Amino acid sequence: MNCRLPLPLLVQKAGKPSIQSLLLEEIAAYLAARNQRPYRAKQIADWIYQKRVNSFDEMTDLPHDLRHRLAEDFAVGGVETVRILGSDDTTRKFLFRLRDGNLIESVLIPASPALYGERSDRRTICVSTQVGCAYGCKFCASGLDGFSRNLDASEIVQQLLAVEKASGEKIDNVVFMGMGEPLANFSNVVRAIRIINAPWGLEIGARHITVSTSGLVPQIRKLADESLQSRLAISLHGATDLVRNKIMPVNRKYDLTSLLSACEYYASRKKQRIYFEYILIAGVNDAEEQAHLLASHARRLGAKVNLIPYNTVEGLEWSRPSRTRQERFLSILREHGTVATLRHEKGHDIDAACGQLRLQTKRSERGAVAPVATTLAH
Ligand code: SAH
Ligand code: SF4
């Protein structure tokens, strides 16, 4: 063993895969091909996910030459925290810069009401899965700048690591509801879920991981066939094709009938209740008739409905209905026996709707608007 190797181990070549993209068995296979002992794989995973080191050099129970080799082949990390908005007891937003300069964001929602998990005291992180989004829903900030690229699994996993590091809090609920369409980045998202869920990884129970989709029917069926018990949320936002077609171009490809039957398939394969997300937008999808129809879709699937008052996006003219109208919509659902909640958006004041912080930052970097506050407000 050569213990006197120079240690330029922190120098990470751009373009190297990050070690956080690998499953334990892949680390083991990499090591086996280099005649290393199998137990080293678990040691490496412990350094990354338990001890949370930032370089191979810190993995002190690995031989120097192995550390050096790993550093040649992989990066550790690659997500840099550039901004945090919000305070300890409210929603906090994290803006990250990736190795190629792209910006993504995550939202941490502490002690929120039980939206996805069963308990009500969970710290939920909302993660991004793509830079931008190609699906162009008319109300959404994420699609405004178009689509740049998919995140790899490590860039998804690292959002959790970085938020836990910056906040000092343990995350116990994950929702794939940040920027991007998770099911359009299927293999990286499934890989990230496996790492987040694994006992050697972040050890978050699959039932506390929720993937949200605008309605990619073939991928919903594919996800149903994966050996994962993560949960599924559908961004419905309209109970008829007429309404969905107006605001969600994806519905022209996969209409409501095919979407609901894919949901039925998912619910029966997983023996799970799915969630319908329904943003309430004034004059667009908040008519009473929509509530009655939504209740009937939910009954058919045994789905739970989360109503979300629309969060205003700079540059878009949409707005949320009055509180009375929101409550009326909710009570119609409940009259039908639908399990439904009306979310009171905690992060409204800090532009919590996904994609907005990034958009503001990009605009301010281009000099279009004044920069937003960058400090943690207490
Ligand atoms: N692409 C996926 C996941 C990311 S969007 C999807 O569409 O499901 C996460 C959720 O935020 C979706 O339900 C989306 O419709 C919602 N959303 C987008 N813009 C919003 C806004 N301005 N106010 C409230 N919710 C919004
Ligand atoms: Fe993309 Fe989801 Fe936004 Fe639609 S709502 S543009 S699918 S991120």
Side-chain angles (χ1 to χ4, degrees):
M1 198 186 307
N2 182 353
C3 293
R4 265 187 264 149
L5 280 173
L7 293 174
L9 301 182
L10 284 169
V11 182
Q12 296 172 355
K13 283 182 236 159
K16 274 190 292 191
S18 164
I19 189 83
Q20 283 104 336
S21 291
L22 268 60
L23 300 171
L24 187 67
E25 57 265 35
E26 292 167 336
I27 302 177
Y30 168 90
L31 293 170
R34 284 151 191 85
N35 297 319
Q36 295 288 333
R37 305 265 169 87
Y39 66 84
R40 298 273 183 225
K42 183 67 172 45
Q43 279 180 315
I44 294 171
D46 279 352
W47 281 113
I48 301 167
Y49 298 108
Q50 308 305 319
K51 303 185 191 99
R52 309 276 169 101
V53 297
N54 298 312
S55 72
F56 292 106
D57 194 27
E58 290 167 79
M59 302 184 183
T60 47
D61 56 3
L62 301 184
H64 273 282
D65 53 352
L66 176 57
R67 287 188 246 165
H68 184 69
R69 186 92 194 242
L70 285 163
E72 271 182 357
D73 293 339
F74 300 103
V76 184
V79 161
E80 181 204 348
T81 309
V82 288
R83 273 177 157 187
I84 304 172
L85 264 83
S87 61
D88 283 354
D89 52 356
T90 65
T91 299
R92 260 168 294 171
K93 281 201 119 180
F94 296 78
L95 186 76
F96 301 115
R97 198 177 297 279
L98 306 176
R99 279 192 285 172
D100 62 1
N102 272 308
L103 295 168
I104 56 163
E105 60 190 68
S106 309
V107 181
L108 179 66
I109 310 154
S112 57
L115 295 173
Y116 305 100
E118 277 95 40
R119 294 207 338 246
S120 61
D121 58 346
R122 302 201 151 262
R123 278 166 306 264
T124 298
I125 185 176
C126 171
V127 293
S128 294
T129 55
Q130 299 182 311
V131 180
C133 183
Y135 284 80
C137 301
K138 300 278 199 300
F139 49 81
C140 176
S142 294
L144 279 182
D145 248 13
F147 171 73
S148 299
R149 70 167 173 89
N150 281 332
L151 299 190
D152 68 24
S154 82
E155 290 167 329
I156 299 171
V157 171
Q158 284 176 64
Q159 292 173 57
L160 278 84
L161 295 172
V163 166
E164 285 195 348
K165 187 175 175 189
S167 67
E169 286 175 45
K170 173 88 184 81
I171 290 162
D172 44 22
N173 210 33
V174 184
V175 295
F176 285 77
M177 296 189 179
M179 192 179 10
E181 169 48 56
L183 295 190
N185 185 12
F186 194 89
S187 57
N188 289 319
V189 166
V190 165
R191 174 177 281 270
I193 293 174
R194 293 196 190 286
I195 297 169
I196 291 166
N197 176 228
W200 53 264
L202 289 170
E203 251 191 311
I204 296 177
R207 291 191 178 262
H208 299 296
I209 302 173
T210 303
V211 174
S212 175
T213 179
S214 57
L216 274 61
V217 166
Q219 288 90 334
I220 291 171
R221 291 179 173 275
K222 200 170 156 197
L223 191 64
D225 293 335
E226 287 281 335
S227 58
L228 284 173
Q229 275 304 325
S230 47
R231 294 181 176 266
L232 182 68
I234 305 293
S235 291
L236 207 59
H237 311 332
T240 54
D241 281 324
L242 201 66
V243 171
R244 270 179 64 87
N245 281 344
K246 259 192 228 157
I247 55 179
M248 304 178 75
V250 68
N251 197 71
R252 294 180 188 273
K253 191 157 183 200
Y254 306 116
D255 67 10
L256 201 54
T257 307
S258 65
L259 175 57
L260 294 176
S261 90
C263 291
E264 217 158 31
Y265 180 69
Y266 189 96
S268 68
R269 286 288 301 214
K270 304 284 189 199
K271 305 200 171 22
Q272 273 185 21
R273 181 197 278 270
I274 64 165
Y275 301 96
F276 286 152
E277 303 292 302
Y278 199 100
I279 309 176
L280 288 168
I281 312 176
V284 174
N285 64 359
D286 61 341
E288 295 195 359
E289 189 211 0
Q290 290 289 310
H292 291 291
L293 289 167
L294 176 58
S296 91
H297 299 324
R299 186 181 326 121
R300 176 178 147 199
L301 287 159
K304 182 183 168 197
V305 176
N306 287 327
L307 297 176
I308 309 146
Y310 182 68
N311 229 332
T312 319
V313 175
E314 203 183 300
L316 299 179
E317 74 271 36
W318 314 84
S319 63
R320 55 176 63 183
S322 67
R323 191 61 186 262
T324 324
R325 214 167 153 81
Q326 295 173 25
E327 300 283 356
R328 175 75 194 123
F329 202 94
L330 176 68
S331 65
I332 294 173
L333 295 178
R334 290 193 170 153
E335 280 159 22
H336 283 281
T338 306
V339 181
T341 58
L342 174 60
R343 191 187 305 177
H344 302 298
E345 205 64 69
K346 282 190 162 183
H348 196 54
D349 51 334
I350 56 155
D351 299 314
C354 302
Q356 294 188 44
L357 179 60
R358 167 179 173 268
L359 199 66
Q360 275 185 329
T361 307
K362 281 183 73 171
R363 284 175 177 167
S364 70
E365 281 178 355
R366 287 190 213 120
V369 293
V372 289
T374 56
T375 50
L376 271 173
H378 285 277

